[in-house]
Amino acid sequence: MSDYLIKAIDKTKNLRLLTVTAKDLVQEAQTRHDTWSASSAVLGRSLVAGVLLAGAELTDKEELTVRLLGNGPVGPTVITAQADLTVKGYVKNPHIALPPREDGHIDVKKAVGQGWLEVTKDLGLKEPYTGQVPIVSGEIAEDVAYYLTKSEQIPSAVGLSVFVNPNNTIGEAGGFMLQALPGASESLITKTIKHIDDLPALSTSFLAGMTPEDLARKILGTDCKILAKEPVAWKCDCSKEKYAEILETLKVEQLQSMIDEDHGAELTCNFCGSKYHYTEAELNAILGKKKEDKEY
Ligand code: ZN
Protein backbone atom coordinates (compact mmCIF):
# COMPACT_ATOMS: atom_id res chain seq x y z
CA MET A 1 0.00 0.00 0.00
CA SER A 2 1.34 3.39 -0.89
CA ASP A 3 -1.00 5.51 1.26
CA TYR A 4 -1.32 4.34 4.83
CA LEU A 5 -1.81 5.41 8.42
CA ILE A 6 0.13 4.27 11.47
CA LYS A 7 -1.19 4.23 15.03
CA ALA A 8 1.51 4.35 17.68
CA ILE A 9 1.88 4.83 21.42
CA ASP A 10 4.88 6.02 23.43
CA LYS A 11 6.77 3.81 25.88
CA THR A 12 4.80 5.14 28.89
CA LYS A 13 1.48 4.61 27.01
CA ASN A 14 0.42 8.19 27.70
CA LEU A 15 0.81 9.67 24.23
CA ARG A 16 -1.12 8.51 21.21
CA LEU A 17 0.17 9.29 17.76
CA LEU A 18 -1.20 8.83 14.27
CA THR A 19 0.98 9.43 11.23
CA VAL A 20 -0.04 9.15 7.62
CA THR A 21 1.24 9.35 4.08
CA ALA A 22 -1.49 10.29 1.62
CA LYS A 23 0.04 11.40 -1.66
CA ASP A 24 -2.12 9.18 -3.90
CA LEU A 25 -5.40 10.19 -2.32
CA VAL A 26 -4.56 13.89 -2.51
CA GLN A 27 -3.47 13.37 -6.12
CA GLU A 28 -6.85 11.77 -6.83
CA ALA A 29 -8.57 14.83 -5.35
CA GLN A 30 -6.32 17.15 -7.36
CA THR A 31 -7.13 15.33 -10.60
CA ARG A 32 -10.87 15.10 -9.97
CA HIS A 33 -11.25 18.77 -9.07
CA ASP A 34 -8.41 20.13 -11.24
CA THR A 35 -7.16 22.13 -8.27
CA TRP A 36 -4.40 24.72 -8.57
CA SER A 37 -1.66 25.10 -5.96
CA ALA A 38 -3.40 27.04 -3.17
CA SER A 39 -6.63 25.09 -3.59
CA SER A 40 -4.65 21.82 -3.63
CA ALA A 41 -2.87 22.75 -0.41
CA VAL A 42 -6.11 23.63 1.38
CA LEU A 43 -7.99 20.59 0.07
CA GLY A 44 -5.04 18.25 0.58
CA ARG A 45 -4.30 19.36 4.14
CA SER A 46 -8.01 19.09 4.99
CA LEU A 47 -8.18 15.57 3.52
CA VAL A 48 -5.13 14.51 5.55
CA ALA A 49 -6.70 16.04 8.68
CA GLY A 50 -9.95 14.18 7.96
CA VAL A 51 -8.16 10.84 7.68
CA LEU A 52 -6.24 11.46 10.93
CA LEU A 53 -9.42 12.45 12.79
CA ALA A 54 -11.22 9.39 11.44
CA GLY A 55 -8.32 7.16 12.49
CA ALA A 56 -8.33 8.65 15.98
CA GLU A 57 -12.05 8.79 16.65
CA LEU A 58 -14.23 6.57 14.47
CA THR A 59 -15.25 2.91 14.50
CA ASP A 60 -17.69 0.71 12.53
CA LYS A 61 -19.91 2.74 10.21
CA GLU A 62 -19.23 6.12 11.79
CA GLU A 63 -18.28 9.13 9.71
CA LEU A 64 -17.21 12.70 10.26
CA THR A 65 -17.37 15.86 8.20
CA VAL A 66 -14.90 18.72 8.49
CA ARG A 67 -16.03 22.10 7.21
CA LEU A 68 -13.41 24.80 6.90
CA LEU A 69 -15.53 27.90 6.47
CA GLY A 70 -13.01 30.64 5.73
CA ASN A 71 -13.52 33.90 3.84
CA GLY A 72 -10.32 33.49 1.80
CA PRO A 73 -10.25 32.99 -1.98
CA VAL A 74 -10.43 29.18 -1.85
CA GLY A 75 -13.83 29.44 -0.14
CA PRO A 76 -15.49 26.77 1.99
CA THR A 77 -13.82 23.35 2.06
CA VAL A 78 -15.75 20.20 2.96
CA ILE A 79 -14.26 16.80 3.78
CA THR A 80 -16.05 13.61 4.79
CA ALA A 81 -14.05 10.74 6.25
CA GLN A 82 -15.22 7.26 7.20
CA ALA A 83 -14.10 4.86 9.91
CA ASP A 84 -12.55 2.66 7.20
CA LEU A 85 -10.16 5.57 6.45
CA THR A 86 -11.64 6.49 3.10
CA VAL A 87 -12.15 10.19 2.51
CA LYS A 88 -13.65 12.57 -0.02
CA GLY A 89 -13.77 16.34 -0.26
CA TYR A 90 -13.99 19.52 -2.30
CA VAL A 91 -13.21 23.20 -2.22
CA LYS A 92 -15.60 25.85 -3.51
CA ASN A 93 -12.96 27.44 -5.75
CA PRO A 94 -10.50 24.92 -7.21
CA HIS A 95 -8.65 27.37 -9.43
CA ILE A 96 -6.77 29.42 -6.84
CA ALA A 97 -3.01 29.98 -6.99
CA LEU A 98 -1.43 32.75 -4.90
CA PRO A 99 2.01 34.37 -4.89
CA PRO A 100 4.27 32.28 -2.59
CA ARG A 101 5.23 33.49 0.88
CA GLU A 102 8.72 34.87 1.43
CA ASP A 103 9.96 31.39 2.47
CA GLY A 104 8.65 29.93 -0.79
CA HIS A 105 5.72 28.08 0.80
CA ILE A 106 2.15 28.23 -0.45
CA ASP A 107 0.25 30.93 1.43
CA VAL A 108 -2.37 28.61 2.91
CA LYS A 109 -3.35 31.08 5.63
CA LYS A 110 -4.30 33.66 3.01
CA ALA A 111 -6.05 31.05 0.87
CA VAL A 112 -8.23 30.01 3.85
CA GLY A 113 -8.89 33.41 5.44
CA GLN A 114 -10.87 33.90 8.63
CA GLY A 115 -13.98 32.10 9.77
CA TRP A 116 -14.91 28.82 11.41
CA LEU A 117 -13.78 25.24 11.58
CA GLU A 118 -16.66 22.85 12.13
CA VAL A 119 -16.48 19.12 12.77
CA THR A 120 -19.65 17.04 12.64
CA LYS A 121 -19.54 13.45 13.83
CA ASP A 122 -22.22 10.97 12.89
CA LEU A 123 -21.78 8.24 15.46
CA GLY A 124 -25.04 6.48 14.68
CA LEU A 125 -26.84 8.34 17.47
CA LYS A 126 -30.06 10.27 16.97
CA GLU A 127 -28.37 13.61 16.43
CA PRO A 128 -24.93 14.12 14.93
CA TYR A 129 -22.52 15.98 17.18
CA THR A 130 -21.06 19.25 15.88
CA GLY A 131 -18.15 21.16 17.42
CA GLN A 132 -17.11 24.55 16.14
CA VAL A 133 -14.10 26.79 16.77
CA PRO A 134 -12.91 30.00 15.11
CA ILE A 135 -10.10 29.63 12.59
CA VAL A 136 -7.16 30.72 14.73
CA SER A 137 -4.37 30.22 12.20
CA GLY A 138 -5.58 29.34 8.73
CA GLU A 139 -2.69 26.89 8.30
CA ILE A 140 -5.26 24.16 9.13
CA ALA A 141 -2.99 21.95 11.30
CA GLU A 142 -3.04 24.49 14.15
CA ASP A 143 -6.77 24.91 13.66
CA VAL A 144 -7.45 21.19 13.97
CA ALA A 145 -5.24 21.03 17.09
CA TYR A 146 -7.13 24.01 18.54
CA TYR A 147 -10.45 22.28 17.77
CA LEU A 148 -9.34 19.07 19.51
CA THR A 149 -8.00 20.91 22.54
CA LYS A 150 -10.91 23.34 22.92
CA SER A 151 -13.93 21.45 21.69
CA GLU A 152 -13.02 17.88 22.60
CA GLN A 153 -10.70 18.64 25.55
CA ILE A 154 -7.94 16.47 24.08
CA PRO A 155 -4.60 18.31 24.24
CA SER A 156 -3.24 17.76 20.73
CA ALA A 157 -0.56 18.72 18.26
CA VAL A 158 -1.15 18.33 14.53
CA GLY A 159 1.11 18.60 11.49
CA LEU A 160 -0.19 18.57 7.91
CA SER A 161 1.78 18.81 4.73
CA VAL A 162 1.09 18.88 1.00
CA PHE A 163 3.77 19.59 -1.59
CA VAL A 164 2.50 20.81 -4.96
CA ASN A 165 4.82 20.37 -7.95
CA PRO A 166 5.21 23.23 -10.47
CA ASN A 167 2.96 21.32 -12.92
CA ASN A 168 0.23 21.17 -10.22
CA THR A 169 0.63 17.44 -9.52
CA ILE A 170 1.08 16.40 -5.88
CA GLY A 171 4.68 15.71 -4.81
CA GLU A 172 3.81 14.43 -1.36
CA ALA A 173 1.14 14.64 1.31
CA GLY A 174 1.02 13.48 4.88
CA GLY A 175 0.88 14.45 8.49
CA PHE A 176 0.53 13.50 12.13
CA MET A 177 -1.80 13.91 15.09
CA LEU A 178 -0.44 13.64 18.63
CA GLN A 179 -2.85 13.31 21.54
CA ALA A 180 -1.99 13.48 25.22
CA LEU A 181 -3.89 10.93 27.30
CA PRO A 182 -4.96 11.92 30.83
CA GLY A 183 -1.88 10.30 32.42
CA ALA A 184 0.69 12.24 30.37
CA SER A 185 3.03 14.27 32.57
CA GLU A 186 4.00 17.86 31.78
CA SER A 187 7.63 16.84 31.27
CA LEU A 188 6.70 14.10 28.82
CA ILE A 189 4.54 16.53 26.83
CA THR A 190 7.26 19.20 26.85
CA LYS A 191 9.87 16.71 25.67
CA THR A 192 7.65 15.45 22.87
CA ILE A 193 6.65 18.94 21.71
CA LYS A 194 10.38 19.69 21.50
CA HIS A 195 10.79 16.68 19.19
CA ILE A 196 8.04 18.14 17.00
CA ASP A 197 9.58 21.63 17.03
CA ASP A 198 12.92 20.12 16.02
CA LEU A 199 11.48 18.26 13.02
CA PRO A 200 12.63 19.50 9.64
CA ALA A 201 9.81 20.67 7.37
CA LEU A 202 7.43 17.72 6.89
CA SER A 203 7.22 18.16 3.13
CA THR A 204 11.01 18.06 2.74
CA SER A 205 11.20 14.91 4.88
CA PHE A 206 8.38 13.13 3.06
CA LEU A 207 9.93 14.06 -0.30
CA ALA A 208 13.20 12.58 0.97
CA GLY A 209 11.45 9.28 1.65
CA MET A 210 10.45 9.53 5.31
CA THR A 211 7.78 6.92 6.13
CA PRO A 212 4.96 7.26 8.70
CA GLU A 213 6.92 4.78 10.87
CA ASP A 214 10.02 7.02 10.71
CA LEU A 215 7.93 10.04 11.66
CA ALA A 216 6.37 8.18 14.61
CA ARG A 217 9.83 7.28 15.95
CA LYS A 218 11.06 10.85 15.53
CA ILE A 219 8.17 12.22 17.57
CA LEU A 220 7.64 9.53 20.22
CA GLY A 221 11.17 8.12 20.36
CA THR A 222 12.63 4.92 18.91
CA ASP A 223 11.15 2.92 21.81
CA CYS A 224 7.56 3.70 20.78
CA LYS A 225 5.21 0.91 19.86
CA ILE A 226 3.50 0.74 16.46
CA LEU A 227 0.01 -0.63 17.10
CA ALA A 228 -1.53 -0.65 13.65
CA LYS A 229 -0.90 0.02 9.98
CA GLU A 230 -3.99 0.65 7.85
CA PRO A 231 -4.52 1.68 4.23
CA VAL A 232 -6.13 5.05 3.52
CA ALA A 233 -7.78 6.02 0.24
CA TRP A 234 -9.93 8.46 -1.66
CA LYS A 235 -13.49 7.20 -2.07
CA CYS A 236 -16.79 8.80 -2.95
CA ASP A 237 -19.84 6.70 -2.16
CA CYS A 238 -22.24 8.54 -4.47
CA SER A 239 -24.47 6.70 -6.92
CA LYS A 240 -27.40 7.36 -9.23
CA GLU A 241 -29.70 5.75 -6.64
CA LYS A 242 -28.43 8.06 -3.85
CA TYR A 243 -29.06 11.16 -5.93
CA ALA A 244 -32.50 9.82 -6.90
CA GLU A 245 -33.29 9.84 -3.18
CA ILE A 246 -32.32 13.53 -3.10
CA LEU A 247 -34.60 14.20 -6.07
CA GLU A 248 -37.40 12.53 -4.13
CA THR A 249 -37.08 15.17 -1.43
CA LEU A 250 -37.84 17.97 -3.91
CA LYS A 251 -41.30 19.50 -4.12
CA VAL A 252 -43.74 18.03 -6.66
CA GLU A 253 -43.79 21.36 -8.55
CA GLN A 254 -39.98 21.39 -8.81
CA LEU A 255 -39.92 17.87 -10.24
CA GLN A 256 -42.77 18.70 -12.60
CA SER A 257 -40.92 21.73 -13.95
CA MET A 258 -37.77 19.62 -14.52
CA ILE A 259 -39.95 17.28 -16.59
CA ASP A 260 -41.89 19.96 -18.46
CA GLU A 261 -39.10 22.46 -19.06
CA ASP A 262 -35.83 20.52 -18.99
CA HIS A 263 -37.13 17.08 -20.05
CA GLY A 264 -34.65 15.48 -17.65
CA ALA A 265 -32.14 16.41 -14.99
CA GLU A 266 -28.41 16.19 -14.47
CA LEU A 267 -26.91 16.22 -10.98
CA THR A 268 -23.21 16.60 -10.27
CA CYS A 269 -21.63 15.22 -7.10
CA ASN A 270 -19.74 18.05 -5.37
CA PHE A 271 -17.33 15.60 -3.81
CA CYS A 272 -16.10 13.72 -6.87
CA GLY A 273 -17.49 15.48 -9.93
CA SER A 274 -19.47 12.43 -11.14
CA LYS A 275 -22.52 13.40 -13.20
CA TYR A 276 -25.83 11.54 -12.99
CA HIS A 277 -28.44 11.99 -15.69
CA TYR A 278 -32.14 11.31 -15.19
CA THR A 279 -34.42 10.98 -18.19
CA GLU A 280 -37.96 12.35 -18.32
CA ALA A 281 -39.25 8.80 -17.74
CA GLU A 282 -37.04 8.36 -14.67
CA LEU A 283 -38.21 11.70 -13.26
CA ASN A 284 -41.82 10.69 -13.90
CA ALA A 285 -41.19 7.48 -11.95
CA ILE A 286 -39.74 9.47 -9.02
CA LEU A 287 -42.73 11.82 -9.20
CA GLY A 288 -45.15 8.89 -9.30
CA LYS A 289 -43.51 7.34 -6.23
CA LYS A 290 -43.73 10.67 -4.44
CA LYS A 291 -47.44 11.07 -5.17
CA GLU A 292 -48.03 7.48 -4.02
CA ASP A 293 -46.22 8.18 -0.75
CA LYS A 294 -48.45 11.22 -0.27
CA GLU A 295 -51.67 9.23 -0.72
CA TYR A 296 -50.87 6.72 2.00
ZN1 ZN B 1 -19.36 11.46 -5.65
Side-chain angles (χ1 to χ4, degrees):
M1 54 185 126
S2 48
D3 282 356
Y4 64 93
L5 175 142
I6 285 287
K7 293 178 184 173
I9 196 151
D10 78 307
K11 192 178 70 173
T12 71
K13 298 197 171 72
N14 286 306
L15 296 174
R16 229 179 138 206
L17 177 72
L18 286 86
T19 57
V20 67
T21 178
K23 177 188 158 185
D24 291 353
L25 86 82
V26 175
Q27 180 60 66
E28 174 90 24
Q30 193 276 324
T31 306
R32 284 188 174 270
H33 296 294
D34 184 33
T35 48
W36 296 359
S37 58
S39 301
S40 297
V42 174
L43 180 58
R45 286 190 194 181
S46 303
L47 287 165
V48 173
V51 163
L52 287 165
L53 282 167
E57 305 194 335
L58 303 185
T59 54
D60 299 327
K61 300 256 175 248
E62 295 170 357
E63 70 170 38
L64 60 80
T65 297
V66 178
R67 290 184 184 83
L68 188 62
L69 306 170
N71 63 1
V74 167
T77 303
V78 182
I79 301 300
T80 295
Q82 310 283 335
D84 67 1
L85 304 181
T86 57
V87 65
K88 60 183 180 179
Y90 64 92
V91 290
K92 180 152 193 292
N93 302 311
H95 291 165
I96 303 296
L98 297 172
R101 299 189 324 202
E102 265 178 28
D103 60 6
H105 287 288
I106 296 171
D107 200 339
V108 175
K109 195 187 185 84
K110 195 169 186 182
V112 169
Q114 291 177 324
W116 296 89
L117 171 71
E118 243 179 51
V119 179
T120 301
K121 280 190 265 183
D122 188 346
L123 307 176
L125 306 169
K126 229 185 225 166
E127 293 288 327
Y129 161 87
T130 298
Q132 194 191 49
V133 292
I135 292 172
V136 287
S137 148
E139 293 284 338
I140 308 175
E142 291 85 341
D143 299 299
V144 174
Y146 184 74
Y147 160 78
L148 286 167
T149 308
K150 273 280 169 191
S151 189
E152 300 198 9
Q153 279 90 47
I154 306 167
S156 304
V158 177
L160 303 170
S161 141
V162 171
F163 186 87
V164 182
N165 293 318
N167 67 358
N168 275 343
T169 58
I170 304 302
E172 68 79 25
F176 69 85
M177 181 177 287
L178 175 76
Q179 302 190 327
L181 302 175
S185 67
E186 276 305 318
S187 64
L188 177 66
I189 293 173
T190 309
K191 186 179 87 180
T192 311
I193 293 297
K194 175 139 195 343
H195 290 168
I196 290 173
D197 291 342
D198 289 346
L199 288 174
L202 280 182
S203 57
T204 316
S205 303
F206 278 124
L207 283 171
M210 178 181 69
T211 65
E213 290 90 336
D214 296 336
L215 180 58
R217 290 185 197 105
K218 279 185 183 169
I219 295 173
L220 292 182
T222 49
D223 52 4
C224 74
K225 196 170 172 197
I226 308 258
L227 303 173
K229 176 177 178 176
E230 294 166 18
V232 303
W234 168 276
K235 185 180 164 194
C236 188
D237 51 358
C238 67
S239 65
K240 191 167 174 180
E241 292 70 32
K242 270 203 171 175
Y243 276 101
E245 284 170 20
I246 293 174
L247 285 173
E248 270 176 53
T249 66
L250 296 180
K251 289 197 179 107
V252 169
E253 303 82 68
Q254 283 175 295
L255 280 166
Q256 195 64 57
S257 88
M258 282 178 177
I259 294 165
D260 296 342
E261 288 160 33
D262 307 326
H263 306 288
E266 189 176 77
L267 299 185
T268 304
C269 176
N270 278 337
F271 283 100
C272 70
S274 294
K275 289 187 192 323
Y276 297 104
H277 185 76
Y278 300 84
T279 61
E280 209 173 327
E282 285 168 329
L283 290 179
N284 267 316
I286 291 169
L287 190 60
K289 201 169 158 203
K290 205 173 163 71
K291 284 182 176 161
E292 234 171 67
D293 287 347
K294 239 183 195 172
E295 280 166 24
Y296 293 107

